[in-house]
């Protein structure tokens, strides 16, 4: 279960996640000066340059002589890389750096790339730092661990208990997870009310059920209250 953290201006990751710095497109034609590339050397050129001691060159740089080409950056020996630099050819990765482009051109490239081929500022932050940011974020509802928490396995009995007691949101959690539907702040208010009902009904189900699912209900209620308060949508995964 998770919230749509970008709905809320208080999310510490909002600016980073909404700031797109790179986009990957099928062809960088016209954008070459802004595009990332690898420097590739043909093995045939390497064989010409190191014809006298090819085996040593391959062994020293851990290269397979049967390959047609290799990345110049992968060479272990700086002197060898310098000798092969004149033979290196640019191989564009498709990633275009957007920093120096106008707003119109940037928007065009982002649209062409699509949402699955974008890199944001947040993507460049090391995991250790993002974890620290999440722990301080007011939208980190799961005890400072972030804005995504565990509901439980598909075999959870909580939805069936919810259905028995008229708690339709919790009863349909698995369906919401399958559809990916984003639920509204109004749904969050309803979810919070259902949690209060379930907390009481779990006692009637016995101590085992209460122990197993009370933590889930607590997490659901915490998330729901935050979403209702901040006007943030939520979903199940």
């Amino acid at each position: 279960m998770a919230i749509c953290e970008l709905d809320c201006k208080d999310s510490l990751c909002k600016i980073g996640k909404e700031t797109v710095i790179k986009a990957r497109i099928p062809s960088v034609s016209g954008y070459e000066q802004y595009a990332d590339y690898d420097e590739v050397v043909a093995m045939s050129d390497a064989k010409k340059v190191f014809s006298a001691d090819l085996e040593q060159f391959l062994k020293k740089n851990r290269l397979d002589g049967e390959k047609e080409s290799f990345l110049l950056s992968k060479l272990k020996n700086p002197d060898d890389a310098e000798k092969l630099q004149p033979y290196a050819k640019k191989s564009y990765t498709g990633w275009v750096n957007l920093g120096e482009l106008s707003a119109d051109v940037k928007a065009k490239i982002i649209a062409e790339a699509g949402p699955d081929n974008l890199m944001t500022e947040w993507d460049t932050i090391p995991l250790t730092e993002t974890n620290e940011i999440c722990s301080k974020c007011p939208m980190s509802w799961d005890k400072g661990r972030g804005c995504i928490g565990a509901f439980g396995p598909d075999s959870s009995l909580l939805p069936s208990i919810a259905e028995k007691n008229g708690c339709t949101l919790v009863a349909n959690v698995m369906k919401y997870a399958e559809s990916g539907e984003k639920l509204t702040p109004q749904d969050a208010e309803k979810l919070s009310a259902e949690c209060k009902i379930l907390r009481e009904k779990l006692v009637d189900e016995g101590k085992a059920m209460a122990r197993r699912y009370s933590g889930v209900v607590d997490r659901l209620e915490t998330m729901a209250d935050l979403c209702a308060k901040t006007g943030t949508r939520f979903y199940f995964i």
Side-chain angles (χ1 to χ4, degrees):
M1 46 194 179
I3 67 172
C4 297
E5 70 280 10
L6 301 187
D7 283 359
C8 182
K9 61 180 178 58
D10 295 328
S11 296
L12 297 184
C13 64
K14 182 177 176 65
I15 293 177
K17 287 183 177 179
E18 291 183 338
T19 303
V20 181
I21 58 175
K22 287 186 180 183
R24 185 171 58 191
I25 53 180
S27 172
V28 299
S29 178
Y31 306 111
E32 288 88 349
Q33 69 183 101
Y34 309 107
D36 289 346
Y37 60 86
D38 294 318
E39 291 186 297
V40 178
V41 178
M43 186 61 72
S44 58
D45 288 328
K47 289 178 179 179
K48 293 175 185 176
V49 174
F50 296 99
S51 57
D53 52 358
L54 180 62
E55 290 303 320
Q56 183 181 356
F57 164 76
L58 294 174
K59 183 176 181 181
K60 184 168 47 178
N61 293 287
R62 300 177 186 176
L63 295 175
D64 181 355
E66 299 301 317
K67 297 286 186 180
E68 292 185 359
S69 61
F70 56 87
L71 296 179
L72 186 66
S73 61
K74 295 297 184 181
L75 294 184
K76 311 294 183 184
N77 188 289
D79 293 336
D80 292 346
E82 185 177 352
K83 291 176 181 177
L84 290 173
Q85 180 67 61
Y87 300 90
K89 301 290 190 300
K90 291 181 180 179
S91 176
Y92 291 99
T93 65
W95 287 102
V96 176
N97 297 284
L98 305 178
E100 298 180 12
L101 297 172
S102 68
D104 289 346
V105 174
K106 187 184 299 185
K108 177 183 177 182
I109 293 176
I110 289 174
E112 182 180 354
D116 295 331
N117 293 297
L118 303 178
M119 181 183 295
T120 67
E121 283 186 353
W122 183 258
D123 295 324
T124 67
I125 302 175
L127 183 60
T128 52
E129 292 183 30
T130 60
N131 287 341
E132 185 177 350
I133 294 171
C134 287
S135 69
K136 299 175 182 177
C137 183
M139 301 303 290
S140 180
W141 59 266
D142 192 18
K143 298 181 180 180
R145 290 188 288 263
C147 55
I148 299 177
F151 176 85
D154 292 347
S155 58
S156 172
L157 297 177
L158 188 58
S160 61
I161 295 172
E163 184 176 14
K164 183 167 60 175
N165 291 284
C167 299
T168 56
L169 270 172
V170 179
N172 288 292
V173 162
M174 300 307 173
K175 292 180 181 178
Y176 290 131
E178 185 177 350
S179 68
E181 180 180 349
K182 303 298 189 294
L183 299 167
T184 68
Q186 291 70 37
D187 291 323
E189 294 178 1
K190 182 180 177 182
L191 176 59
S192 181
E194 288 188 3
C195 288
K196 292 173 176 59
I197 295 172
L198 285 172
R199 189 171 287 109
E200 294 181 1
K201 296 301 181 180
L202 280 175
V203 176
D204 298 336
E205 296 289 331
K207 291 182 178 179
M209 291 295 103
R211 281 196 302 268
R212 182 181 299 177
Y213 296 120
S214 60
V216 180
V217 172
D218 289 344
R219 289 194 294 276
L220 281 168
E221 186 177 32
T222 299
M223 180 186 71
D225 289 343
L226 179 65
C227 289
K229 178 182 177 181
T230 60
T232 303
R233 294 170 300 162
F234 65 101
Y235 59 100
F236 295 94
I237 51 179

